[in-house]
Amino acid sequence: MDSLLPGSSRAMMEKGRVLRGTRLAMPSPDATGASLPPEAPIAMPVQDFDVAPPRSRPSPPIAPGLSRVGALFLLSIGAAFIGISMMLDGLQPHGFSAWEIAYVMLAAPLFTWIAFGFANSIIGFVLILARDVHNSRGYQRSTTRIPEGRAAVLLPVCNEDFLTIIGRLSIMERSMETLPGRDQFDFFILSDSNAENGKLEEDAYDCVRNAFVRPVYYRRRTVNTGRKPGNVAEWVQRFGAAYEYMIVLDADSVMSGKTMSQMAAQMDRESNVALIQTIPAVVGAQTLFARWQQFSSRLYGPMSAIGAIWWSDRQATFWGHNAIIRVSAFAESCGLPELKGRAPFGGHIMSHDMVEAALLRRRGWAVRMVMADDSFEEFPPSMPDLAIRDRRWCQGNIQHVPLIARIAGLHVVNRFQLLVGASAYVTSPMWLALILLVIGGEFAGAWRANALLPSGALLALTVVLLFGPKVMAIILTMRDEERRVAFGGTLRLWVGAIMETVLSILAAPIQMLTHSINLVSILSGRKSAWNGQSRDCDGIPLAEAFRTFRYHVALGAIIVVGGLASGITMLWLMPIVLGLLGAPLLASFSARKDAARALETRGLMAVPKAWWQLSSYRPLRTRLSVGRSNSVWTAPISVANDT
């Protein structure tokens, strides 16, 4: 791990004393012990979803956006129509039974979903080939303009490893040290942590606060109403009028000062843009699971992202972090109401980000998405940690379903984005239902299951739709010498891609059942917890992994028995069966750091380095000792290194 602050707490405090005379003095602590600037309130009215508000900005031309979405639909539906027509050939030639109708109702939308992903990827592939935009930044057309508007960098935290948070923050604020316009940026740590963790945070903050180059403020709410969106909204209402822009991060985010400055300058230039969302790259992988996901994201993600940037146009979405937002537009447009009713559809809006982007757009503001070299986030270190995060996202996205039709004045593209977000979790139980339907239909005598399974042209089309995007992304990487070298060269790139594909095939049925269980649980009214995420682990005991994935093993056994008894060719079921039966072993092994280090030693699943991992960057270093009761809390401040 790379330590990221100066060499000792004494050196750090001395640096703070030296800097105090050359920067604005930090204001006195408020009643909660936080150090904050003078308040600058701004109104943030709660929005009425049932009435379309007046537009704050003239709406950009709608036709181009719709024509782009139309092109996406034509590609998706065209490929899906061909595949569905081939599926129907395996059914009875004279009419449809109830079993066959159920089969078509499940298979058709699932095939369309696969075709949609392929269509998005092929748009990105063509754009990169035609325009050479593999590294297109969107907002970096002028790299010398100094931002004029003041910007606050917001870092919401909730029961996180605070030393690591400070480490990430130090990377970001130090990267602004030599930038023109750096005095336009202030940092805010917005804590929703409980009292015990809050005391540790305050002690650590008091120790390091004067060592930062930029103003870094800390505030902890004692009542975390509305979770993260409530945390940000409270800051907007108290301090928002003092800033033109806010750059919203997550606890695991890192973004360079250069990228922040360029985004702020772009907002200065385009007064009708309310939000610019970067597409963060995954960084900091230490376990095999995180390294494999990091490799997949960095290799395949840019092509898919460029496709999404193209068709979303000025109706892009928001992911809640690594984005810059015009404060006045956000305050005017994004006061979220508490929804009536019980969970999952009632209460505070959990997946607030996509809704906020849609609310900005309905007032006429443009929302854009861009690529950026220096915008990063981390990935959960293990399969159980990913499942916990996905459950929370699932509840939030399912909550959007009634809002798609309810919120008046939404742009059609934003409604489509909300639908896609919810569909991502609904497809998993649909896949599970389709598998069980095929086996059940064999037992009931409704069909010969082997006749329904893909063969010939349908199999070829399915393979192209599923794996074509991976091959296209590899081709683009092979054409770019710098990227190819960063991924380890030609041989290691292909070996890593094959390993990732095998692991992803095994993980797919695990995710299918996990999402299905989560969806059933959420629809039954069980709320998702909102605690600090686990961002580090090193292996999972096999017994614990078996308890976590016991339902997966049971379903795998049921499919084996059903498949053998029904006479279905087991070759088709093997990827599903192996993934489900092997779920505990895969989860346990992939959570290990030594497995990731073994790949690193061999140069496999390598990714391009982040700027702070390059030899030209000289990170600050320290170790902090913060007294608490009779114990000493000592830990390195760090962000993981990956190669």
Side-chain angles (χ1 to χ4, degrees), residues 341-400:
R342 299 176 56 189
F345 300 113
H348 294 287
I349 297 176
M350 294 186 64
S351 291
H352 57 96
D353 36 24
M354 297 177 70
V355 175
E356 289 162 347
L359 294 178
L360 287 168
R361 187 65 189 86
R362 78 168 181 164
R363 281 190 179 267
W365 292 99
V367 177
R368 297 180 53 204
M369 189 183 298
V370 299
M371 297 291 292
D373 267 341
D374 298 337
S375 179
F376 297 96
E377 65 176 341
E378 292 187 0
F379 199 86
S382 70
M383 294 173 68
D385 291 317
L386 176 62
I388 292 170
R389 189 187 74 172
D390 270 358
R391 191 189 192 284
R392 193 165 61 243
W393 287 6
C394 178
Q395 181 171 336
N397 286 17
I398 292 302
Q399 194 181 39
H400 293 165

Side-chain angles (χ1 to χ4, degrees), residues 99-329:
W99 284 89
E100 290 168 333
I101 292 173
Y103 173 80
V104 172
M105 290 180 67
L106 288 170
L110 288 172
F111 204 89
T112 304
W113 177 258
I114 296 172
F116 167 76
F118 177 81
N120 181 78
S121 295
I122 202 166
I123 288 172
F125 180 75
V126 171
L127 286 173
I128 293 170
L129 287 179
R131 304 181 187 176
D132 194 22
V133 294
H134 203 293
N135 295 310
S136 173
R137 306 295 174 259
Y139 60 85
Q140 290 185 350
R141 288 171 294 182
S142 172
T143 58
T144 58
R145 181 164 178 164
I146 299 174
E148 300 170 1
R150 290 189 68 203
V153 183
L154 308 185
L155 188 58
V157 300
C158 181
N159 299 319
E160 299 276 352
D161 179 351
F162 197 68
L163 291 183
T164 303
I165 297 293
I166 293 293
R168 295 189 186 100
L169 193 153
S170 75
I171 295 176
M172 293 185 280
E173 64 96 24
R174 189 168 186 256
S175 71
M176 289 184 168
E177 203 166 3
T178 60
L179 288 177
R182 59 188 177 276
D183 293 334
Q184 299 294 89
F185 294 84
D186 296 342
F187 286 77
F188 287 80
I189 303 172
L190 306 180
S191 174
D192 264 349
S193 300
N194 58 33
E196 180 180 4
N197 287 326
K199 181 61 170 66
L200 297 176
E201 292 173 0
E202 290 164 13
D203 289 345
Y205 173 73
D206 287 340
C207 184
V208 303
R209 54 184 287 190
N210 291 321
F212 292 114
V213 178
R214 306 255 50 77
V216 176
Y217 304 109
Y218 171 88
R219 183 276 283 134
R220 185 179 72 85
R221 292 196 302 171
T222 55
V223 179
N224 58 348
T225 304
R227 301 173 177 173
K228 180 182 175 181
N231 195 358
V232 173
E234 191 262 3
W235 178 89
V236 170
Q237 292 169 312
R238 288 181 65 186
F239 305 103
Y243 298 91
E244 280 77 16
Y245 315 121
M246 58 181 183
I247 297 173
V248 181
L249 304 174
D250 258 356
D252 62 351
S253 297
V254 182
M255 187 184 295
S256 73
K258 178 182 176 182
T259 293
M260 294 183 196
S261 177
Q262 288 170 339
M263 288 200 301
Q266 182 68 13
M267 295 287 272
D268 288 338
R269 282 197 298 272
E270 299 191 32
S271 60
N272 66 331
V273 174
L275 188 151
I276 299 176
Q277 171 69 66
T278 70
I279 299 177
V282 178
V283 74
Q286 298 185 78
T287 64
L288 171 60
F289 179 74
R291 188 178 181 89
W292 137 37
Q293 299 297 328
Q294 176 182 263
F295 176 80
S296 175
S297 168
R298 302 285 287 275
L299 179 59
Y300 310 130
M303 181 183 71
S304 178
I306 288 173
I309 289 171
W310 181 81
W311 64 259
S312 62
D313 196 30
R314 302 175 75 84
Q315 290 77 230
T317 192
F318 175 38
W319 295 331
H321 57 93
N322 292 57
I324 187 169
I325 305 171
R326 194 176 300 274
V327 174
S328 59

Side-chain angles (χ1 to χ4, degrees), residues 91-97 100:
L91 302 179
Q92 296 292 338
H94 304 294
F96 291 95
S97 67
E100 290 168 333

Side-chain angles (χ1 to χ4, degrees), residues 35 44 60 76 248 337 345 412 477 519 600 627:
S35 178
M44 190 171 178
S76 303
V248 181
F345 300 113
V412 64
T477 302
L519 185 61
E600 180 179 349

Side-chain angles (χ1 to χ4, degrees), residues 521-601:
S521 172
I522 288 165
L523 292 177
S524 67
R526 292 183 59 190
K527 297 181 180 179
S528 297
W530 194 276
N531 301 312
Q533 297 184 45
S534 173
R535 305 193 189 278
D536 188 35
C537 74
D538 191 3
I540 300 173
L542 194 56
E544 179 184 333
F546 184 83
R547 285 193 301 271
T548 302
F549 294 97
R550 60 190 181 279
Y551 297 117
H552 299 71
V553 175
L555 177 62
I558 290 171
I559 292 176
V560 169
V561 172
L564 292 174
S566 65
I568 296 176
T569 303
M570 290 301 296
L571 179 64
W572 292 107
L573 297 177
M574 286 308 293
I576 299 169
V577 169
L578 289 176
L580 292 172
L581 293 180
L585 184 61
L586 182 60
S588 176
F589 180 73
S590 65
R592 291 170 52 172
K593 292 182 178 179
D594 59 353
R597 287 193 293 269
L599 291 179
E600 180 179 349
T601 301

